[in-house]
Amino acid sequence: MKDQTKTFSNLQLYSALFALLLFAFFLALHIGPSDIDIEKAARDLIEQRQSVDAIILFEVRLPRIFLALFIGATLGLSGAALQGLLRNPLAEPGIIGVSNCAALGAVIVFYFGLSGLAWYALPLGGLLGALLSVILIFLLTGKNSSIVTLILAGIAINAIGSAMIALVLNYAPNPYAMQEIVFWMMGSVSNRSLQDVAISLPFMIVGWILILYCGKFLNALSLGEDTAKSMGFNLQKLRWILVIGVASCVGAAVSVSGNIGFIGLVIPHLIRPFINYEPKRLLGLSAIGGAILLMFSDMAIQAFSSGDELKLGVVTALVGGPFFLYLILKTRSAML
Amino acid sequence: MSLLLAKNAGYDINRVNILKNVNIAVDTGEIVGLIGPNGAGKSTLLKLLSGVEPASSGDVFFKGSRLLSLSASQRAAKIAYLVQGAKAHWPLPVRDVVKLGRLPFQKWWQNLSSEDSSIVENAMQKAEIAHLADRTITTLSGGEQTLVMLARIFASQPELILADEPVAALDPYHQLHVMELLKTFSDDSKHAVVVVLHDLGLAARFCDRIYLLNRGEVWADGSTQEVLTEKNIQTVYGVQCAVSCDDNAVSIVPLKRVKNRHLAIDND
């Protein structure tokens, strides 16, 4: 740990990240299994001419890019928020079981065919599942910010979520439905439409706003709960706002993309040293960082796999898992 | 009118009586010590006095109005609470920790004004940690960390400081340093300090008045000479001790435990 602190201004950091985000966006437009002329496609789109290039751009590439962007932002932001709330650098929607329970909520909606009832049924199912898990985490860890309690609670909630999903799959009407659900759960942003983006985006935006509203509260929490209370923060109320915010955006994200893990773990960790660990500043920067990371991960999948595409969630888990182990080893001595 | 007043304050957790019928009055310009054995309810009492926890019975008043009728941010602007073993959960720069003291005065969208920043710098000077401003708090010694927490409290410019064992686990130099800072703060005619202490010698030396707590009740209160008697200490703490005064300081030396201390007080 460095002793003397060094600061980067918000302007520097945001402009660097935005530049990277723009670069990722334009790069992503050009990457995909089929070779299309982007300029022509864009022109066709604007002039409303039917062409293969325009259809691929509008119905394949754009939904995929937007989903990677919004879901990456959601995961980065909620990772930073949960870490601030639990005062623990290992908290992350996937690790503490939020993603799994959101998936459960979405699977139940799928399974009972509720998704036809209303456009918001699927993200709402994800939201309710996520909310349940965050409340459980809260009851289990309480005021305790130790790693051990958090990880144990995460294991328990993940196990419950998986078991319930397995239960639903067990009664799946046919093997194809089961296969579909399993593939969906592995996490991916391919084969989605702009309608999927439109359905989930409102929930994500509400979640982002609720989380960003709690920035100062997270700063105060870095001195502990009683101190935050004595500084005039309404602990009960703000915790709920934050928890509902995380549940809303993660629930919506998972209900569209399935489980994509570890983004919320890796990104805040990479950004913290640049901002002297301030929880509030971490939020916005982690959102952009998460978006960038997920967009590049998704591009890597498309560029490097031939035939059957690797699932995005599988790739982030393969890379994120060892990173998680490294973080545990690194923080073990400091936090236990 | 007292700055802070607790009237018959009580506190229960799961129907267990932690505090009962506590009456306390704190005036401006004084530093009041709360002493008592482990589990006497000192920390809980401080939480009631700060408004962090509501009293189960009785009431706490700040400047004549009910503490809980004030909004949380109104309380935060007047009363600062230093928790026991205060520490930062992230390796934050010292200056950023002190800046947290200005949080009660900002809306959620606002940033520090230049006035806030100068208050922060002043607070660091007052706590004599200006030279540590750019260090990371987790790399500081326990004594230095306590001073940083005190600077955070000075930065909120409170009228009342409630400090829970601020000198526990500090070396004599830092113990004196922290107590001197609190004393200087309380010497202002608008300010007051309530401090929980285990070191009876320090309590005798720095406090204007002392409340001795025993099993959730005020056992004795008054000037240090009135409270810190060999008899009181023996009954409440269960130790025989030698109290001696000279011109410079009171010294209280614990000599020997008294057997069956709890049987001596009540019979449970």
Side-chain angles (χ1 to χ4, degrees), chain A residues 166-185:
Chain A
L167 181 72
V168 174
L169 290 184
N170 227 316
Y171 289 103
N174 62 58
Y176 294 107
M178 182 164 152
Q179 196 184 19
E180 205 175 305
I181 292 176
V182 169
F183 270 133
W184 168 79
M185 284 211 319

Side-chain angles (χ1 to χ4, degrees), chain A residues 1-5 83 87-89 213 216 219-220 222-224 226-227 229-232 272 276-277 280, chain B residues 47 52-53 72 76 83 88-93 100 103-104 106-108 110-111 134-136 138-139 152:
Chain A
M1 194 184 298
K2 293 192 312 285
D3 189 16
Q4 288 293 327
T5 55
Q83 290 170 19
R87 280 156 286 145
N88 191 320
Y213 172 74
K216 286 222 157 78
N219 275 1
S222 58
L223 296 181
D226 280 341
T227 305
K229 247 184 186 175
S230 79
M231 289 202 271
R272 264 197 199 98
N276 291 324
Y277 289 77
K280 177 176 165 252
Chain B
K47 283 184 188 177
V52 165
E53 296 289 340
V83 300
H89 290 267
W90 301 106
L92 299 163
L100 294 176
L103 276 179
Q106 296 163 25
K107 298 276 179 234
W108 69 275
Q110 285 175 325
N111 282 319
D134 293 317
R135 293 269 304 272
T136 303
T138 40
T139 62
R152 190 273 292 172

Side-chain angles (χ1 to χ4, degrees), chain A residues 117-135:
Chain A
L117 287 183
W119 64 270
Y120 51 80
L122 202 58
L124 191 66
L127 187 157
L128 290 177
L131 193 61
L132 186 74
S133 66
V134 189
I135 293 170

Side-chain angles (χ1 to χ4, degrees), chain A residues 140-164:
Chain A
L140 288 171
T141 55
K143 289 188 174 182
N144 194 334
S145 67
S146 97
I147 288 187
V148 179
T149 328
L150 181 73
I151 301 295
L152 287 179
I155 290 174
I157 289 170
N158 259 324
I160 294 170
S162 306
M164 300 287 281

Side-chain angles (χ1 to χ4, degrees), chain B residues 164-263:
Chain B
D164 197 350
E165 292 192 34
V167 298
L170 299 193
D171 61 33
Y173 179 89
H174 284 102
Q175 288 192 340
L176 288 174
H177 194 170
V178 168
M179 290 310 295
E180 280 164 14
L181 287 171
L182 290 176
K183 182 79 182 161
T184 315
F185 176 85
S186 73
D187 279 342
D188 190 300
S189 64
K190 290 192 197 72
H191 294 167
V193 173
V194 179
V195 57
V196 172
L197 289 170
H198 268 305
D199 187 319
L200 303 180
L202 278 181
R205 169 111 183 260
F206 284 96
C207 296
D208 298 311
R209 281 186 308 120
I210 285 182
Y211 286 87
L212 172 59
L213 259 65
N214 182 42
R215 312 192 124 203
E217 288 176 296
V218 176
W219 183 266
D221 70 277
S223 69
T224 51
Q225 289 96 327
E226 286 163 356
V227 175
L228 293 174
T229 60
E230 288 172 7
K231 180 167 172 291
N232 275 342
I233 292 170
Q234 175 159 345
T235 356
V236 173
Y237 283 88
V239 288
Q240 275 179 18
C241 65
V243 178
S244 62
C245 299
D246 62 33
D247 295 344
N248 288 320
V250 183
S251 69
I252 295 164
V253 184
L255 298 174
K256 189 174 149 215
R257 286 189 299 137
V258 180
K259 292 219 172 100
N260 296 332
R261 162 190 158 216
H262 294 301
L263 291 178

Side-chain angles (χ1 to χ4, degrees), chain A residues 102-125:
Chain A
L104 172 67
V107 165
I108 289 174
V109 172
F110 263 151
Y111 180 79
F112 289 105
L114 300 174
S115 48
L117 287 183
W119 64 270
Y120 51 80
L122 202 58
L124 191 66

Side-chain angles (χ1 to χ4, degrees), chain B residues 65-99:
Chain B
S65 42
R66 282 187 63 231
L67 191 59
L68 294 176
S69 70
L70 302 173
S71 74
S73 48
Q74 279 175 322
R75 282 201 299 272
K78 306 278 187 198
I79 304 174
Y81 172 42
L82 181 59
V83 300
Q84 194 173 339
K87 62 169 184 146
H89 290 267
W90 301 106
L92 299 163
V94 166
R95 181 179 278 110
D96 288 6
V97 174
V98 180
K99 279 180 185 168

